[in-house]
Amino acid sequence: MDATERMMLSFTLNGRPVEVDVEPSDLLLDVLRNRLGLKGTKRSCDVEVCGACTVLMNGLPVSSCTTLAADADGQTVLTIEGVAQGGELDRVQRAFVEHAGMQCGFCTPGMVLATTALLNVNPKPDNAEIRHFLRGNICRCTGYIKILEAVKSLV
Amino acid sequence: MSEASHRAQPPRRDFFEKVTGSAEFISDVVVPGMLQGRILRSTIPHGRIRNVDVSAALALPGVEAVLTGEDIAGLNNHWGLFLNDRPVIAIDRVRYVGEPVAVVVAVDERTAEDALDLIDVDYETLPFVTDAVEAMAEDAPVLHEKSETLKDFYFKGEAKPVPGTNIFQKYEYAHGDVERAFADAGRVFEDTFSFPMIFHYAMEPHCVVASFADGGLTLWSCGQAPTAIQKVLSRVFDLPLAKIRIITPYVGGGFGGKASVKIDPLVAAAAWKVGRPVRICLSISESMLTCRRLSASITVRTGVRADGTILGKAVRVVMNGGAYADTGPAVAIKAANRAIGPYHVPNLKLEAYAVYTNTVPGAAFRSIGGPQAVWASESQMDIIAGALGIDPVELRYRNMLKPGETVRPDLRPIDVDMAEALGQASQAMSRLDAAGPDAGLMKGVAVGASDPGIMAVAAVLVRLKIDGSVLVISNSVEIGQGIREVLRTFAAELLNQPAEAVYVMTPDTALAPFDWGTGASRSSVMMGMAIEDAAIDIRRQLADMAAAAFGVAAETVSLCPGGIVAGDRQWPFAELLHAHYGIDSGEVIGIGRISPHSRDGRLMQAPLFWETAAGMCGVELDEETGEVRVRRYVSVADVGRVLNRASAEGQDEGAAIQGLGHALSEELVYEDGQPVNASMIDYHVPTIDEVPEDFLTVLIESGTGPGPGGARGMGEGAILPVAPAIANALASRHGIRIRDLPLTPERVWRALQEKKAKP
């Protein structure tokens, strides 16, 4: 690739400013995982169906597998690595741990971030709202029962 | 029922890594110097490869090598578990759309992907067949001209292919005289059911990193059976087993799709060709072209007396095994066995075929053959009940086996009380109905009994360190089921040490002893028994040390947290080991080995235990659209002993919701030899909004399993009853009997229209 095609991005990642040069076609998922070493964001379906690659951009969930890295320029991005503070799990993470809302754990980063976003926009969701908001995050292991219990415990 | 299981348990240790994103999964593994591989796949269902032109791909900057069938002429280039039928990479022929034809190895994935477009493959197309019944016809194209069976290779026994046909497994069994029973029976019911191909959709796609160095091969693999991979690679590359090392980090789900051996030989061949470590991480769409559940056509003939008593049953199973046999021969046998049900069947005839077709290879999937079989047999139970005017639950009770009675005289007698499970399901549903009355729900029921195909071959190392910390080293793969926490719980309990002191290592065949593999609900029981033996070994060694060092009678020595106790005296491990070794360092290594001869030979009879389930659903149907919603579901299983309540329930719930997907939406569809919905846009798995609002999991702790404290395997039973329970619910209210899965809105709607047209 021609070096002139690269572009420099600046954005806030997990509370800290980062700069990274990317190709215009680079996906946010690849830049996070391969350039910035944040492997907690997972690749699964590639088509914005499963939610495993969910990160929060300005507090709202996006699928990083179908988001251009360039779109993060100037934005605030939160990945799973930025959720726990000072080695302490945050309340959403604690709820997932305490209610066993995971098994293989591959969907868990996306599930935690989607739940975080839900509670940001709607601190007291009812059951139907929880089920509607999280339908973009697939879990193939748990059958969702324990995930629902975890999320309900936060309401 | 153990008291320990009712104590509040701290959360699983792996949860902390998983919830923070720090858990290293196989797709996160980075090996220094590794290149990335991408796979060019066949676009045609069946054909000869005339030529593969890789010159343009090789010329692309960043491409290091391209592997094709020509490269592997010098290797033992076919492999398999039952039949040696599968080339490491297509050599001169392709047998399904998606079969690997070339691997580009490049500096990064994007370059490798770009290079795929530059490869030109010249095919000569051959006639193809994608349907199993058609593949059994005399004029069907034959996929494999010869068959080489591998006896006792990894599974006990061997497949029975029919030479010159596509049948790669033919299985027959009989007891009693079924035709005579049918002649004696008041009624004989014959029904045929179909079950589709289903994709596992483990959320992490298949991923392997392979590296040849120091005359050996190291693989970081997603495989559920590291020692099977080791064995196959040893044959392919003619390397000693001792020089092949398989490391298995966290795996993002498997459900059987990563059982036995999958992409490991292919990735290893790419690394062998290029002489550097190679990583290949499939996309999910590629995983869909790697393996899937065997579809099936199942005909059940059941002869009953007017009171519903089963006199005889004949089951004929035809399974679509895809282009390569994989573990299909075992799946076919299990499908036949699992169609019997937990019922007294005095006259029984089983016949099962697994057949090659030009489709994605069939493979193990949670309760192999079970959902297919139970879909047929439990749907038919309700057909019989309806025809005889007997309540479906009552019909099941009338035929139910009591504990100790046999499903087949050659199998271990059933070791659970299925009547109790069914009763508990009814009670649980009554509790849900009492909590939220809803007269509109249709109710359906089904039960399942499966015979896990467990090889009693396992071993573990337990290393007790001088500071009291304990390291458990095994090849049991953590794939979500919580095996590491189970092993930690067992080691803590059996060594009488705090769970916080016990650590479980990432499986590594260079360190961990041989184990058959992770699957068939075996690891908790098998590795649990191995830890029992390792703990005895450790206690014996400590006792001998204490006898020599402190003059106590060895038989009076037992373990206490952090040390040993003999009579009223107590020593920390550090004091004992210091006295024994002369330095303030060291450890005691306990070995636990399980073989079919262990436990006085009691593990020899199959199955090691029965895995069963009862399911009951409350269903709603939109008659305008045909859409089915399951509002209530009750799942009951005897698991012997609950080792970790939240995880055990979660295993059961996960199985049931996978069963919901099987029932309502999942199907890999073929048209003109092409899989037409092999992406997650077109293939729908259950989402959180489809989960029944009321869901109850009941785990019965009978304590009758062979594992420590009466534990038995679990996690596969709950998938069995879901689909037939739902279909039975629809039949009970609307009189529609759907014999093909999934129960899509269109299929249900059409059935309703047909019913209205000719009621």
Side-chain angles (χ1 to χ4, degrees):
Chain A
M1 287 290 165
D2 189 333
T4 56
E5 284 186 34
R6 299 190 75 81
M7 56 192 290
M8 184 62 78
L9 306 183
S10 308
F11 60 102
T12 303
L13 178 60
N14 297 335
R16 291 195 188 137
V18 291
E19 291 203 339
V20 59
D21 67 305
V22 302
E23 288 176 21
S25 59
D26 278 345
L27 296 170
L28 181 57
L29 174 64
D30 293 326
V31 171
L32 290 171
R33 284 181 59 84
N34 301 335
R35 300 290 308 286
L36 300 169
L38 297 180
K39 301 229 167 186
T41 306
K42 300 303 182 194
R43 174 192 291 281
S44 180
C45 74
D46 289 314
V47 287
E48 210 176 323
V49 164
C50 78
C53 67
T54 301
V55 299
L56 301 192
M57 198 181 283
N58 306 327
L60 293 175
V62 298
S63 292
S64 61
C65 74
T66 46
T67 300
L68 292 174
D71 287 337
D73 195 35
Q75 313 299 314
T76 296
V77 174
L78 180 70
T79 71
I80 191 65
E81 289 87 351
V83 175
Q85 295 296 325
E88 288 285 311
L89 301 185
D90 91 330
R91 68 186 199 108
V92 175
Q93 291 172 314
R94 276 203 310 275
F96 273 77
V97 167
E98 283 163 12
H99 292 268
M102 73 196 89
Q103 287 180 24
C104 84
F106 204 73
C107 74
T108 310
M111 203 65 86
V112 165
L113 286 165
T115 303
T116 302
L118 165 64
L119 298 175
N120 284 346
V121 297
N122 182 0
K124 295 275 175 202
D126 62 24
N127 288 348
E129 288 168 329
I130 293 170
R131 292 158 71 97
H132 179 74
F133 196 93
L134 293 179
R135 74 182 301 275
N137 288 77
I138 291 172
C139 171
R140 191 64 158 165
C141 293
T142 63
Y144 304 104
I145 311 288
K146 299 276 184 273
I147 290 174
L148 286 166
E149 287 172 13
V151 179
K152 284 179 196 167
S153 79
L154 294 162
V155 176
Chain B
M1 206 177 294
S2 111
E3 204 165 295
S5 67
H6 291 288
R7 272 203 306 255
Q9 282 165 312
R12 274 163 55 174
R13 194 177 266 160
D14 59 329
F15 285 174
F16 293 92
E17 290 173 73
K18 288 172 176 175
V19 83
T20 55
S22 63
E24 185 180 61
F25 287 84
I26 174 66
S27 55
D28 301 329
V29 168
V30 174
V31 173
M34 75 182 184
L35 299 165
Q36 305 283 344
R38 299 296 290 166
I39 300 168
L40 183 75
R41 295 171 180 279
S42 172
T43 53
I44 63 167
H46 198 189
R48 299 206 176 279
I49 300 173
R50 284 204 198 103
N51 186 44
V52 184
D53 182 356
V54 301
S55 53
L58 276 172
L60 189 72
V63 171
E64 299 284 328
V66 181
L67 177 82
T68 66
E70 281 185 5
D71 294 307
I72 58 169
L75 301 177
N76 301 311
N77 50 30
H78 282 69
W79 61 275
L81 279 301
F82 280 98
L83 289 138
N84 202 39
D85 61 356
R86 187 163 184 158
V88 170
I89 188 165
I91 295 173
D92 50 11
R93 185 161 166 191
V94 289
R95 294 182 175 87
Y96 72 97
V97 172
E99 178 158 9
V101 171
V103 176
V104 173
V105 179
V107 290
D108 56 37
E109 284 181 295
R110 185 186 290 195
T111 306
E113 184 80 34
D114 289 346
L116 295 182
D117 291 340
L118 304 175
I119 298 174
D120 190 25
V121 186
D122 183 13
Y123 294 111
E124 174 195 338
T125 59
L126 293 171
F128 63 87
V129 60
T130 56
D131 177 84
V133 174
E134 288 171 19
M136 289 171 82
E138 270 191 18
D139 58 347
V142 174
L143 272 73
H144 297 266
E145 281 73 25
K146 54 180 185 180
S147 56
E148 182 191 343
T149 54
L150 300 164
K151 188 172 189 238
D152 293 339
F153 181 79
Y154 202 68
F155 294 84
K156 199 174 173 186
E158 65 184 322
K160 302 265 187 272
V162 179
T165 75
N166 286 313
I167 298 166
F168 63 80
Q169 170 71 309
K170 180 179 181 183
Y171 173 72
E172 289 172 302
Y173 167 85
H175 68 238
D177 182 342
V178 88
E179 294 305 331
R180 193 167 158 187
F182 289 165
D184 294 345
R187 298 280 297 268
V188 179
F189 293 82
E190 176 170 343
D191 298 281
T192 298
F193 301 85
S194 77
F195 192 102
M197 299 178 195
I198 291 182
F199 173 50
H200 303 79
Y201 193 37
M203 291 196 65
E204 184 176 41
H206 297 83
C207 180
V208 168
V209 186
S211 173
F212 282 85
D214 303 325
L217 167 60
T218 300
L219 244 79
W220 290 260
S221 173
C222 65
Q224 293 172 229
T227 55
I229 294 166
Q230 193 182 33
K231 180 168 183 175
V232 165
L233 294 175
S234 159
R235 299 274 179 111
V236 169
F237 295 99
D238 203 14
L239 284 170
L241 288 166
K243 290 298 284 180
I244 297 178
R245 180 178 183 188
I246 315 292
I247 300 166
T248 319
Y250 285 128
V251 176
F255 316 117
K258 294 165 185 169
S260 65
V261 181
K262 293 291 176 285
I263 66 170
D264 311 83
L266 180 63
V267 184
W272 169 81
K273 158 111 185 179
V274 76
R276 282 175 61 182
V278 170
R279 170 184 185 265
I280 297 182
C281 188
L282 304 188
S283 68
I284 283 296
S285 294
E286 288 182 285
S287 279
M288 295 181 90
L289 299 175
T290 300
C291 57
R292 45 86 183 170
R293 196 190 271 282
L294 281 81
S295 51
S297 169
I298 301 181
T299 300
V300 187
R301 283 193 298 153
T302 305
V304 294
R305 281 207 301 252
D307 67 355
T309 305
I310 297 173
L311 295 182
K313 189 168 183 177
V315 179
R316 185 172 192 270
V317 180
V318 176
M319 305 200 95
N320 185 331
Y324 300 103
D326 197 291
T327 50
V331 178
I333 295 174
K334 292 301 179 191
N337 282 345
R338 293 168 183 185
I340 307 169
Y343 304 120
H344 185 60
V345 183
N347 300 283
L348 177 69
K349 186 178 165 203
L350 304 176
E351 189 183 6
Y353 299 89
V355 182
Y356 288 126
T357 64
N358 296 108
T359 61
V360 171
F365 192 147
R366 199 172 206 154
S367 187
I368 60 171
Q372 296 96 319
V374 176
W375 163 241
S377 58
E378 284 297 282
S379 291
Q380 199 196 39
M381 284 300 276
D382 268 43
I383 292 173
I384 296 170
L388 300 181
I390 301 171
D391 177 79
V393 173
E394 174 59 25
L395 177 70
R396 287 173 173 83
Y397 278 131
R398 284 185 193 174
N399 290 286
M400 197 74 80
L401 292 169
K402 295 182 182 65
E405 294 182 333
T406 55
V407 176
R408 277 172 44 165
D410 58 334
L411 297 181
R412 185 183 298 273
I414 198 159
D415 54 358
V416 295
D417 188 341
M418 280 309 293
E420 190 201 348
L422 186 54
Q424 292 235 15
S426 297
Q427 289 167 24
M429 186 55 87
S430 299
R431 289 202 295 279
L432 287 181
D433 289 345
D438 188 338
L441 293 181
M442 302 166 255
K443 298 292 168 56
V445 67
V447 296
S450 66
D451 53 331
I454 293 174
M455 297 306 303
V457 187
V460 69
L461 297 182
V462 180
R463 298 168 63 171
L464 172 69
K465 307 288 182 178
I466 193 165
D467 63 356
S469 62
V470 176
L471 185 61
V472 179
I473 304 175
S474 90
N475 273 317
S476 288
V477 173
E478 177 55 63
I479 200 150
Q481 81 283 45
I483 189 61
R484 292 193 193 183
E485 195 66 22
V486 165
L487 300 186
R488 182 175 162 218
T489 303
F490 279 145
E493 179 179 301
L494 295 162
L495 291 167
N496 195 19
Q497 301 302 307
E500 300 74 53
V502 181
Y503 298 85
V504 179
M505 222 185 110
T506 295
D508 179 343
T509 59
L511 305 170
F514 183 93
D515 172 54
W516 182 82
T518 302
S521 303
R522 73 185 285 282
S523 292
S524 290
V525 168
M526 294 308 308
M527 214 47 90
M529 284 194 281
I531 291 177
E532 276 182 335
D533 288 8
I536 290 167
D537 188 20
I538 286 176
R539 195 210 68 83
R540 184 186 50 74
Q541 293 178 56
L542 293 173
D544 289 348
M545 286 180 189
F550 308 129
V552 297
E555 62 275 13
T556 65
V557 174
S558 59
L559 277 79
C560 62
I564 58 160
V565 58
D568 56 359
R569 299 177 67 191
Q570 207 167 315
W571 294 269
F573 292 127
E575 205 175 322
L576 176 63
L577 268 63
H578 193 162
H580 181 75
Y581 291 117
I583 54 172
D584 185 20
S585 300
E587 67 177 351
V588 174
I589 303 179
I591 304 177
R593 306 176 187 87
I594 298 296
S595 79
H597 309 283
S598 302
R599 306 295 187 272
D600 303 320
R602 272 180 285 125
L603 312 183
M604 234 175 266
Q605 190 181 21
L608 189 56
F609 54 83
W610 284 86
E611 187 163 4
T612 56
M616 209 168 267
C617 62
V619 174
E620 206 173 77
L621 169 65
D622 182 335
E623 291 185 50
E624 296 298 312
T625 64
E627 189 187 5
V628 174
R629 300 277 313 201
V630 180
R631 297 291 180 194
R632 279 181 194 158
Y633 195 83
V634 172
S635 178
V636 181
D638 180 341
V639 300
R641 170 191 171 190
V642 172
L643 302 169
N644 181 301
R645 182 156 298 277
S647 284
E649 288 177 356
Q651 277 287 298
D652 213 52
E653 291 157 0
I657 300 302
Q658 266 181 358
L660 187 70
H662 286 32
L664 298 185
S665 69
E666 294 187 47
E667 176 178 23
L668 185 58
V669 179
Y670 271 83
E671 278 173 23
D672 298 328
Q674 300 281 337
V676 295
N677 63 339
S679 98
M680 292 311 291
I681 287 188
D682 300 310
Y683 186 96
H684 181 79
V685 299
T687 49
I688 199 167
D689 55 334
E690 292 160 39
V691 169
E693 285 86 350
D694 300 313
F695 192 107
L696 259 184
T697 312
V698 180
L699 302 178
I700 298 172
E701 293 191 86
S702 63
T704 54
R712 65 173 73 244
M714 69 157 306
E716 299 194 286
I719 200 169
L720 301 173
V722 187
I726 295 170
N728 290 342
L730 294 175
S732 73
R733 175 72 53 82
H734 294 278
I736 52 171
R737 173 52 63 183
I738 300 174
R739 290 175 169 79
D740 309 300
L741 286 180
L743 304 169
T744 57
E746 180 183 340
R747 189 166 271 152
V748 174
W749 185 85
R750 286 185 189 282
L752 284 169
Q753 303 317 305
E754 272 175 39
K755 180 77 186 167
K756 280 178 194 162
K758 39 176 181 173

